[in-house]
Amino acid sequence: MQEMANVYFDGKHYQVPSDLTIMTAMEYAGYQLVRGCGCRHGFCGACGAIYRIKGENKPHFALACQTKVEEGMYVATLPFFPLAHRDYDMEEIKPTEQVMMEIFPEIFACVGCNSCTKSCSRGLNVMQYIAYAKRGDYAKCAETSFDCVACGICSARCPANISHTLVGLLARRLTGKYILPPAGHTAQRAADIAEGKFDAAMTKLMAKSKEEMKELYDNRDFEK
């Protein structure tokens, strides 16, 4: 007999196999997930969820596709975790020590609680890359935050309301534009596209069926 777990999705009770993730358990219960599901493998960060276990007061934040159901789990899904988006022009800002303070001053209110790192679905050292951003070391911030999927769970746990994912994104943009050496092959490829060198190939590709596209994808060449 398959072990079942009693769970609650948006207040409704269901019995689901205990080896399912929150996402697959919701589908098992009859939910049709058309948004907030994304890649289903922990890479896109779209399936943020809040849950608590019966008898506990502490809320938990997780990706629904990466977290298994537990007995007595109460789950609520979110369209996104709120972040403080800021407007800036990459042509006008420079990688100075002051730029991060001007755009994301809240990072200097970090209390070092490390809740961001503990909650990261990708196991990143989030507090460390915020420290790099505070010091103006954008190259290290970019490297440490490189695998961030922007799920926003770290921000949901932060008492200083820091938008960690956006801080890392700005550091990666500054690093790519101003700190790393120019990628000559990328500029050449962009020029080739602008000249129309790939128009015929794209027209041929768009005419293929779904099955042909799958075959091409499965047998594609990998860059070494």
Side-chain angles (χ1 to χ4, degrees), residues 199-218:
D199 289 353
M202 285 300 298
T203 300
K204 183 178 179 181
L205 189 66
M206 294 298 291
K208 292 186 178 295
S209 66
K210 184 177 181 180
E211 289 70 27
E212 290 174 317
M213 292 293 290
K214 284 183 177 180
E215 184 178 355
L216 278 175
Y217 181 82
D218 292 337

Side-chain angles (χ1 to χ4, degrees), residues 6 8-10 20 25 34 64 88 103 120 125 153 163 189 196:
N6 292 286
Y8 299 82
F9 298 137
D10 295 325
L20 298 181
V34 296
Y88 51 84
I103 298 175
C120 180
N125 193 339
I153 293 175
S163 295
R189 181 56 61 89

Side-chain angles (χ1 to χ4, degrees), residues 2-221:
Q2 190 170 23
E3 184 178 350
M4 306 295 281
N6 292 286
V7 297
Y8 299 82
F9 298 137
D10 295 325
K12 295 183 179 180
H13 172 251
Y14 300 95
Q15 284 193 326
V16 300
S18 59
D19 60 347
L20 298 181
T21 64
I22 292 174
M23 181 174 288
T24 52
M26 291 184 73
E27 292 178 318
Y28 178 91
Y31 286 79
Q32 292 184 331
L33 303 179
V34 296
R35 60 176 61 86
C37 48
C39 70
R40 299 171 180 264
H41 293 287
F43 294 111
C44 73
C47 60
I50 299 176
Y51 71 90
R52 73 174 183 87
I53 305 300
K54 186 176 182 180
E56 298 180 2
N57 292 328
K58 179 183 177 181
H60 301 270
F61 303 86
L63 294 181
C65 73
Q66 297 293 292
T67 307
K68 282 191 175 183
V69 294
E70 299 181 43
E71 175 67 26
M73 176 183 277
Y74 291 78
V75 180
T77 59
L78 294 175
F80 57 86
F81 284 100
L83 300 173
H85 291 270
R86 305 289 161 74
D87 293 327
Y88 51 84
D89 188 337
M90 288 302 299
E91 300 301 325
E92 295 181 358
I93 63 175
K94 303 294 180 182
T96 63
E97 292 184 5
Q98 293 76 30
V99 68
M100 199 63 76
M101 180 182 294
E102 294 170 357
I103 298 175
F104 293 106
E106 61 272 18
I107 66 173
F108 294 92
C110 173
V111 297
C113 67
N114 210 30
S115 292
C116 52
T117 299
K118 293 176 181 177
S119 64
C120 180
S121 61
R122 302 292 293 166
L124 303 182
N125 193 339
V126 183
M127 191 174 77
Q128 180 61 68
Y129 79 66
I130 293 298
Y132 286 140
K134 290 164 65 176
R135 295 203 294 265
D137 193 341
Y138 302 126
K140 286 187 178 180
C141 181
E143 180 181 1
T144 310
S145 68
F146 187 80
D147 288 327
C148 173
V149 297
C151 65
I153 293 175
C154 52
S155 297
R157 295 289 305 277
C158 180
N161 295 318
I162 298 171
S163 295
H164 311 74
T165 65
L166 300 182
V167 172
L169 177 61
L170 176 55
R172 295 193 296 277
R173 286 173 170 170
L174 290 168
T175 300
K177 184 172 178 60
Y178 297 110
I179 300 174
L180 294 179
H185 64 288
T186 302
Q188 183 59 54
R189 181 56 61 89
D192 291 341
I193 293 172
E195 292 174 10
K197 290 186 177 181
F198 301 102
D199 289 353
M202 285 300 298
T203 300
K204 183 178 179 181
L205 189 66
M206 294 298 291
K208 292 186 178 295
S209 66
K210 184 177 181 180
E211 289 70 27
E212 290 174 317
M213 292 293 290
K214 284 183 177 180
E215 184 178 355
L216 278 175
Y217 181 82
D218 292 337
N219 296 288
R220 68 194 185 280
D221 293 328

